[in-house]
Amino acid sequence: MKQWKRFKNSYFLHSFKRDRVAIVSFVVLLTLILLSILAPVIAPHNPYDTTTIDIMNAEMPPSWMEDGNPDFVLGTDIQGRDLLSTMLYGLRLSVMIGCGAVFLQAIIGIFIGMISGYAGGKVDAFLMRIADVQLSFSTLMVAIMISAIFQVAFGVGRYEQLAVPLLVLIIGLAEWPQYARTVRASVLGEKNKEYVEAARVIGLSSKRIRWRHILPNTMSPVLVISTIQVANAVMSEAALSFLGLGMPVTKPSLGSLINSGFEYIFSGSWWITLFPGILLVVFVLVINLLGDWLRDVLNPKLYKG
Amino acid sequence: MFAFAVRRITQAIIVMLVIGLLGFSIKQKIGDPVRDIVGVSVSVAERDALREELGLNDPFLAQYVRFIKNAVHGDLGMSFFFKRPTLEVILSKAPATLELVFASSLIIILLSIPLGIYTAINPRNLPSRIIMGGSIVGVSIPVFLTAIILIYIFAVELHWLPSYGRGETVNVWGWESGFLTLDGLKHLILPSIALSSIMLPLFIRLIRSEMMETLETEYVKFAWAKGLSRRRIWFLHAFKNTLLPVITVGGVQLGILIAYTILTETVFQWQGMGFMFLEAVERSDTSLLVAYIIVVGALFVVVNTIVDLIYGLVNPTIRITGRK
């Protein structure tokens, strides 16, 4: 109760209530996440259930157009699946993979950043060089490379079976340097402050100082980049799936849906590409807007560049 | 400066060796060089003989050293699909990709500098807010979606521009160029716009924030106090100092464009390196895949090293802080 009161009077909530863009994006984001979690309940059809799919329904336009079927509000895709349901399930996959990947990169990045910043010296120089080199290759390139290698190593069939955990792993491995650099920068700022010295004087172990004292104080920049990183991870997942290195067509994410629709855009079936595309853009956009707002409010010293 | 250059170049070589090690282990673990040469319909005994002859039973380190030696001589192995040296295949595809990257960088530079300066000078007026709003929307649209939308509007609906391929090309000293024919240029428009769409918002934001930072500095305030004309302060004094970080970050970002060419080339079936890479993945052409990783890795390392050296040249503090 007390915490709630503190939250109610905080600057954080105050500035949130004054920023219309933040409110709208938050509401949209919440709705999209709810929709994706509840996809099995609200979706009118089950796109994974092959017995209910009829190929005769393929490429039906949205219901308000000619030849539209009121059964399929946004039309159907090339396999005769209801587009709206497939999109909801796809969004669910994208959100799952995005959050999983960010969780993984946060764990790797915070761990490495903490060691690097606290230890300093040679260890720091070595770890940060690795991070720099990997970043200079761009996260998308690294992700594409790793997934290409995985796909050749596992074979297409097995890769598609394991697609979700593999994508989490790939995107997690590709983007950890962002976290490592951010955490390191704030650890460097914190470690010479008086409270750390005080803790050291009391005789606490350096492990305890690192994880219980310094870590909580590095959390606000981590929070800021986490929002942007979710957007990035969702984009990376979409890009990989679009290239055929991600989710298979039988279990499409938004990226693979766009990819499957692209082949039919020349015959005029624009809806298979457009609707999943809009959903993806809106999802990523609201996260980016929220991230921008969060950065302005918390105003941490972020690693530039 | 000399010590700095030596250190940076040594580091670049180490990075290249590590990339080589990665590429080599991928080849060892996944690829089968014997299959690459003879195909699948050859007896086991003959395979083993060939394996011994190629030195594939040597220790890992010996093979790695041989691999690096060959790589330095420009031999990155044979492509299983093309039956040609991989480097030759990649180099024959490189002009297409480089032309695409060049055209997009041109669009990015020509648009981002004026827009970035404009939004920095007038941070609060309506056009600036539209540009900044547009840039955050632009960041959120994946490059392949932009490409598809462009194709749908300009190729499928309006029939103004071609939707795939490079069109007519002219061979200039072994360089297949699409710049010199009208058809080639027409084919270039949509892909280069699509490719630049991902970086343009980032560059506008970068130039804007750097410019705004410079406008806050003491020497600019002094220039105002001195009564210099607005144009002179903005374009001569402030912009010059904005350019430095923009060049360094920009150089690296333009290297990153190579990653996005994979996406753009897939959508437009642009016969460049990225398109070839995805085909290699589909065909499990391990040698070609590894060769691509090494070539692109080398490209990144070279670009980054050059950018760092330029930065060290114009900004001495970086050389000193790096020394410790």
Side-chain angles (χ1 to χ4, degrees):
Chain A
M1 216 54 221
K2 212 169 154 192
Q3 296 222 317
W4 168 243
K5 218 167 188 175
R6 220 169 78 191
F7 177 70
K8 228 173 90 182
N9 294 327
S10 67
Y11 171 67
F12 189 77
L13 193 69
H14 173 71
S15 61
F16 178 74
K17 278 194 287 196
R18 279 186 39 202
D19 194 326
R20 234 177 300 145
V21 177
I23 295 175
V24 172
S25 346
F26 185 70
V27 169
V28 173
L29 181 64
L30 211 62
T31 320
L32 288 180
I33 290 178
L34 271 179
L35 280 177
S36 70
I37 293 172
L38 296 176
V41 186
I42 36 175
H45 300 263
N46 182 357
Y48 297 160
D49 185 1
T50 39
T51 54
T52 60
I53 302 168
D54 188 353
I55 196 75
M56 293 303 283
N57 291 335
E59 281 193 77
M60 248 184 222
S63 56
W64 60 85
M65 285 171 58
E66 257 180 275
D67 314 324
N69 185 333
D71 241 13
F72 306 111
V73 183
L74 295 180
T76 58
D77 74 350
I78 41 166
Q79 299 185 351
R81 290 179 294 207
D82 175 45
L83 194 58
L84 179 65
S85 318
T86 319
M87 273 163 60
L88 288 175
Y89 276 82
L91 181 67
R92 185 180 151 93
L93 278 173
S94 297
V95 171
M96 251 163 59
I97 294 171
C99 292
V102 169
F103 190 64
L104 181 65
Q105 34 176 295
I107 290 177
I108 303 175
I110 290 176
F111 192 73
I112 291 182
M114 179 59 90
I115 290 177
S116 186
Y118 197 77
K122 282 229 165 77
V123 181
D124 179 34
F126 177 69
L127 289 174
M128 280 307 111
R129 268 326 328 172
I130 297 181
D132 278 353
V133 169
Q134 197 183 325
L135 266 188
S136 75
F137 282 90
S138 97
T139 49
L140 180 66
M141 199 64 170
V142 176
I144 290 176
M145 295 292 183
I146 304 178
S147 52
I149 293 163
F150 276 7
Q151 190 166 65
V152 175
F154 284 98
V156 179
R158 213 151 147 59
Y159 184 88
E160 289 189 343
Q161 269 176 5
L162 290 171
V164 175
L166 280 181
L167 281 170
V168 168
L169 186 66
I170 289 164
I171 300 169
L173 285 179
E175 299 196 356
W176 65 266
Q178 309 272 15
Y179 274 97
R181 284 167 75 156
T182 313
V183 171
R184 172 184 173 267
S186 38
V187 168
L188 282 183
E190 295 292 327
K191 81 173 179 188
N192 292 327
K193 283 194 179 162
E194 275 170 6
Y195 74 90
V196 178
E197 245 165 66
R200 212 173 279 149
V201 169
I202 300 174
L204 296 181
S205 72
S206 80
K207 198 167 135 198
R208 199 184 156 88
I209 296 176
R210 252 181 291 168
W211 300 110
R212 299 289 290 277
H213 293 244
I214 299 182
L215 187 67
N217 285 306
T218 61
M219 278 300 120
S220 74
V222 167
L223 196 66
V224 171
I225 65 166
S226 291
T227 47
I228 310 270
Q229 287 302 100
V230 172
N232 280 347
V234 170
M235 288 276 258
S236 299
E237 187 277 326
L240 290 176
S241 294
F242 180 77
L243 291 174
L245 297 170
M247 296 305 295
V249 197
T250 46
K251 254 187 150 190
S253 69
L254 293 176
S256 22
L257 254 183
I258 295 172
N259 183 24
S260 69
F262 170 54
E263 292 162 35
Y264 291 83
I265 204 164
F266 295 100
S267 56
S269 310
W270 47 267
W271 55 92
I272 310 173
T273 312
L274 190 70
F275 293 132
I278 292 176
L279 189 60
L280 178 66
V281 171
V282 168
F283 185 70
V284 173
L285 180 65
V286 291
I287 297 180
N288 277 336
L289 287 171
L290 271 180
D292 263 17
W293 167 79
L294 211 57
R295 177 163 46 200
D296 290 344
V297 172
L298 298 178
N299 193 24
K301 297 258 180 296
L302 281 183
Y303 201 106
K304 209 167 116 190
Chain B
M1 182 62 208
F2 182 70
F4 174 73
V6 170
R7 208 171 46 230
R8 274 309 278 118
I9 291 169
T10 325
Q11 195 192 323
I13 292 171
I14 293 174
V15 172
M16 272 326 291
L17 284 176
V18 172
I19 293 173
L21 183 63
L22 286 178
F24 178 67
S25 355
I26 295 163
K27 242 176 151 167
Q28 285 276 306
K29 288 270 167 280
I30 306 169
D32 183 359
V34 178
R35 187 203 69 156
D36 287 3
I37 298 168
V38 295
V40 272
S41 53
V42 172
S43 75
V44 180
E46 280 178 82
R47 277 163 190 272
D48 285 342
L50 191 62
R51 190 170 280 277
E52 189 61 47
E53 194 184 318
L54 288 170
L56 293 175
N57 296 329
D58 291 354
F60 184 84
L61 203 64
Q63 290 195 53
Y64 172 59
V65 171
R66 190 161 53 224
F67 175 79
I68 293 290
K69 259 188 202 154
N70 288 340
V72 171
H73 288 114
D75 175 12
L76 291 171
M78 294 287 279
S79 161
F80 173 59
F81 178 79
F82 289 96
K83 302 282 177 230
R84 271 162 56 201
T86 45
L87 197 64
E88 200 183 300
V89 177
I90 292 176
L91 287 182
S92 71
K93 304 277 185 187
T97 300
L98 292 180
E99 279 184 5
L100 182 59
V101 170
F102 178 75
S104 320
S105 343
L106 214 61
I107 297 177
I108 293 170
I109 293 167
L110 288 181
L111 282 180
S112 66
I113 291 178
L115 289 179
I117 294 180
Y118 181 81
T119 48
I121 298 172
N122 316 296
R124 299 212 174 273
N125 76 357
L126 191 63
S128 299
R129 273 153 75 181
I130 291 173
I131 294 170
M132 293 316 288
S135 81
I136 196 161
V137 176
V139 173
S140 308
I141 302 179
V143 73
F144 55 88
L145 197 61
T146 320
I148 293 174
I149 293 169
L150 284 175
I151 288 186
Y152 186 71
I153 295 173
F154 292 103
V156 179
E157 286 293 319
L158 297 173
H159 297 289
W160 284 357
L161 292 164
S163 60
Y164 66 88
R166 289 188 72 197
E168 216 179 297
T169 54
V170 183
N171 195 326
V172 189
W173 298 299
W175 178 286
E176 287 288 335
S177 175
F179 278 145
L180 300 172
T181 59
L182 192 64
D183 191 43
L185 286 176
K186 260 189 181 167
H187 280 83
L188 192 62
I189 296 175
L190 291 185
S192 53
I193 293 177
L195 185 56
S196 57
S197 72
I198 195 76
M199 285 288 164
L200 191 58
L202 295 178
F203 269 72
I204 294 177
R205 292 180 147 236
L206 174 71
I207 292 176
R208 172 177 179 268
S209 67
E210 290 296 338
M211 183 86 175
M212 284 173 90
E213 221 167 85
T214 320
L215 287 176
E216 292 294 311
T217 54
E218 298 288 322
Y219 81 91
V220 171
K221 282 183 192 152
F222 176 67
W224 284 114
K226 228 163 74 171
L228 294 182
S229 80
R230 286 156 45 156
R231 277 166 192 283
R232 213 178 148 75
I233 293 173
W234 285 334
F235 299 119
L236 200 77
H237 293 264
F239 180 61
K240 234 200 239 164
N241 274 303
T242 314
L243 222 47
L244 190 64
V246 170
I247 287 173
T248 52
V249 178
V252 176
Q253 296 285 347
L254 289 182
I256 289 174
L257 268 186
I258 304 266
Y260 286 96
T261 57
I262 299 181
L263 287 164
T264 329
E265 285 179 8
T266 317
V267 177
F268 289 99
Q269 304 194 8
W270 189 264
Q271 296 293 329
M273 298 196 298
F275 193 65
M276 179 213 75
F277 171 70
L278 272 188
E279 282 183 329
V281 173
E282 273 161 29
R283 294 173 186 140
S284 301
D285 194 341
T286 325
S287 309
L288 193 56
L289 195 146
V290 169
Y292 177 82
I293 292 179
I294 290 176
V295 169
V296 168
L299 209 64
F300 273 107
V301 170
V302 168
V303 168
N304 281 320
T305 310
I306 292 175
V307 166
D308 269 11
L309 289 179
I310 294 177
Y311 199 48
L313 210 59
V314 288
N315 186 1
T317 51
I318 215 88
R319 311 203 293 257
I320 292 158
T321 50
R323 196 175 292 153
K324 291 204 176 110

